[in-house]
Amino acid sequence: MTITREVRAEAHFWRVRIDEGLNPNERREFDAWMAKDALHRELYAEACLIWHGLGEVELSPLLRRQPRAAPSQIETAVQAKEYEPLFARFQAFLTPQISAGALTAIVLATLIFTSGIGSQIWPQPTAEQLTFATEKGQRKIVNLPDGSQVTLGAQSELELTLSETQRLAVLSKGNAFFDVSSDPDRPFITQTELVSVEVTGTKFDVQLGENSVNIAVGEGAVEVSQDLKQTDTSPLRKSISLEAGQQINSTRLSGFGPVNEVFPAEFAAWRVGRLIYLRAELSEIVADLNRYSDQPIELADGIGGLVVSGTYDADDPAAVLDELSLGLPIRVISEAETLRVVRR
């Protein structure tokens, strides 16, 4: 994304709004804006630094006493070089403690950061970004700088961004178990292609399927949100709260399913090499096995929808296929480089 006056103005707009306090809907809107692009997070960090530097003249309370202006209005004022109206706008809220010289500095700083020059003269503290990935058959435990711990399943990919306002984890592939260190001032948000999960401190598990995601909670509570419809401004969202011992599955086509109980022995069992399924389709099981198997497993047409329940050893995919063939009308053909599952 290219830096524009409007995007920079949005960052400063959010900085002022957070000083006022956000309601839950506004907090979700802000989190979505932050998560949308790394540039948003950088510009917000820049805005925090600028406002901190201007704190001695208490500009933020002055702005809060006027009606909220859209970021586009700030951009229009700068493009038209309406310096005098902008100066008058702040001057109307002057207190005796603010000198004319200080006001001039404030207006100058405002014009600098909205005109795009700010990035050249202000230091930009960047959020800490970390990327983790696992190979086929590998599980990895990662200790995060904030005291949290993440366990990644085989062939998983996770990108983490730590800032002063939030902790953002983007799981693009595989499984991840999160043991989140409590920090009420910095929510921990986990995003996938289908849903986002927000917590301040808890233990929960996220497993990605081909067209679905399963979220299970071991301790604490989480808020799970899903995009329902993309509009010109922002997506509509549906949210659901989960407590310890609960899980939910969300699919691309039908959204959230029912909330189900998850037993302690089943919770994130993949961490110890066990794959547990309840009425799962064969295609889902084979997709999981392919993250552990040295030989690619291929499914013949027409059998991926077969449904099965059971507990299997993830570290022995061939034995899992043999076990599946005992209860399903399938057989396994070992070819030169692949294992092919066909109808029996």
Side-chain angles (χ1 to χ4, degrees):
M1 176 182 289
T2 303
I3 297 179
T4 65
R5 294 182 178 90
E6 185 172 4
V7 174
R8 179 170 271 110
E10 286 176 352
H12 288 266
F13 167 81
W14 279 117
R15 175 63 183 84
V16 174
R17 290 292 296 121
I18 283 180
D19 270 358
E20 294 182 281
L22 304 180
N23 62 41
N25 288 335
E26 290 172 329
R27 167 58 67 176
R28 283 191 286 270
E29 185 180 350
F30 169 69
D31 291 340
W33 183 85
M34 287 283 283
K36 185 177 181 180
D37 194 283
L39 180 60
H40 288 184
R41 299 188 288 274
E42 293 179 10
L43 292 180
Y44 180 77
E46 174 191 281
C48 289
L49 183 65
I50 292 175
W51 285 101
H52 178 74
L54 297 176
E56 62 187 69
V57 294
E58 297 187 341
L59 179 58
S60 179
L62 298 181
L63 285 179
R64 291 201 299 268
R65 297 211 298 263
Q66 61 182 313
R68 289 171 56 178
S72 59
Q73 291 176 297
I74 300 176
E75 179 189 15
T76 302
V78 173
Q79 288 177 334
K81 299 188 182 300
E82 297 173 354
Y83 302 126
E84 292 303 323
L86 186 59
F87 187 93
R89 180 180 176 186
F90 292 131
Q91 191 173 35
F93 300 100
L94 277 176
T95 65
Q97 290 75 22
I98 301 179
S99 66
L103 178 64
T104 301
I106 292 169
V107 175
L108 178 60
T110 304
L111 291 172
I112 286 173
F113 72 64
T114 56
S115 63
I117 305 174
S119 60
Q120 301 175 25
I121 64 173
W122 295 96
Q124 297 188 41
T126 57
E128 184 175 8
Q129 293 185 323
L130 304 167
T131 300
F132 306 100
T134 52
E135 303 295 333
K136 181 173 291 190
Q138 180 188 23
R139 289 182 290 273
K140 178 189 294 185
I141 296 177
V142 179
N143 294 310
L144 304 182
D146 68 335
S148 301
Q149 188 180 83
V150 179
T151 304
L152 290 179
Q155 285 193 322
S156 298
E157 295 179 1
L158 180 75
E159 181 179 299
L160 181 75
T161 303
L162 299 177
S163 71
E164 294 181 355
T165 58
Q166 71 172 7
R167 298 166 289 175
L168 176 66
V170 179
L171 181 66
S172 56
K173 186 179 179 181
N175 306 357
F177 168 78
F178 297 88
D179 184 350
V180 178
S181 176
S182 179
D183 187 345
D185 295 327
R186 286 199 305 168
F188 193 105
I189 300 172
T190 301
Q191 287 192 330
T192 72
E193 186 178 358
L194 296 180
V195 302
S196 63
V197 183
E198 180 171 347
V199 303
T200 55
T202 187
K203 295 181 180 180
F204 64 100
D205 180 55
V206 180
Q207 299 186 49
L208 300 185
E210 291 185 355
N211 295 292
S212 66
V213 57
N214 185 270
I215 302 97
V217 183
E219 291 183 9
V222 306
E223 185 78 10
V224 186
S225 301
Q226 182 180 50
D227 291 350
L228 297 178
K229 180 182 179 182
Q230 185 71 38
T231 67
D232 292 338
T233 54
S234 62
L236 299 174
R237 306 185 73 83
K238 179 180 179 182
S239 299
I240 190 167
S241 297
L242 297 179
E243 299 178 350
Q246 293 182 326
Q247 66 177 344
I248 196 169
N249 193 69
S250 178
T251 66
R252 188 181 304 279
L253 295 178
S254 57
F256 289 134
V259 175
N260 295 313
E261 183 179 4
V262 57
F263 297 101
E266 298 176 353
F267 177 66
W270 58 265
R271 290 180 296 160
V272 292
R274 289 193 300 128
L275 299 177
I276 300 176
Y277 300 99
L278 179 63
R279 295 185 298 276
E281 292 188 353
L282 181 60
S283 59
E284 176 187 346
I285 298 175
V286 168
D288 287 341
L289 292 177
N290 268 321
R291 293 167 41 218
Y292 295 88
S293 177
D294 292 331
Q295 285 183 282
I297 303 170
E298 297 181 353
L299 273 180
D301 293 339
I303 61 173
L306 295 174
V307 176
V308 66
S309 299
T311 301
Y312 307 100
D313 183 0
D315 296 322
D316 194 350
V320 175
L321 293 177
D322 289 340
E323 190 172 349
L324 289 171
S325 66
L326 297 177
L328 295 175
I330 61 173
R331 61 190 180 95
V332 181
I333 301 174
S334 180
E335 299 180 345
E337 298 181 354
T338 64
L339 296 174
R340 183 166 176 79
V341 183
V342 300
R343 186 176 291 275
R344 187 170 56 220

